[in-house]
Amino acid sequence: DNPMASPAAHTTYVVTGTDNNGCSDTASVNVIVNPLPTIIASASPDSICIGDTASLLASGADSYTWTPAADLSCSNCPDPKAFPLSTTTYIVTGTDAKGCEDTAHVVLEVLPLPVLAAQDEEVCIGDSVQLGVTGAVSYQWSPATGLSCTNCDNPMASPAVTTTYTVTGTSATGCADTIQVTVTVHPLPVISAGQDQEICLGDSVQLQASGASSYSWTPAAGLACTNCDNPMASPAAHTTYVVTGT
């Protein structure tokens, strides 16, 4: 008396009922089959870098439900913002005014960021050091102060003061990330070679350098040592000694 009907098109069903006396009569019922909504889903853009956002859009119905709902700005709207951390297939179910529903799906590809590697450097003021970064296909350094180039992977750096450089690396897929490189600039030591000295021919005098950790004297002639801070000097003629302190 209560069959399930699932016609593919509008159908009129006629039922004949017979009682215990053998008497019968008929009745009819119309089953109207409404078409399913045609759901269209898209993503703009259809690929993003990790950390970026894409716009999803569904059309063809009156209300919508998106799954998975995580990483969506809304799950019951036609145009949510999506910010997944990995490639995700979103399914949207659209329902029309008659309660009929259908689904569509859209794939949002998530591209990885480049993995940048670089190391900090140290330099004496006035000197240069070569920086280096790997992990991308193009680079941009800032600030430009003290750099031989700003769009290469290995600029020479000669900053006047300690400087932290930020380098942005971009992969072949257009995804970018940043890393920082600090160049520590050390001041030069303040070296003293002591006062000028006078001696008689054949005598000796002790020189005294200060201001550094190690020393090198030139010329070596007449000196008891050249890599100490206080060599005994006994030159045979007037001599100007130069000491380099490190």
Side-chain angles (χ1 to χ4, degrees), residues 207-210 212-232 241-246:
L207 307 182
Q208 182 65 59
S210 62
S213 299
S214 63
Y215 304 90
S216 177
W217 294 83
T218 58
L223 294 182
C225 61
T226 59
N227 295 305
C228 55
D229 61 343
N230 56 352
M232 291 298 297
Y241 291 104
V242 177
V243 60
T244 300
T246 302

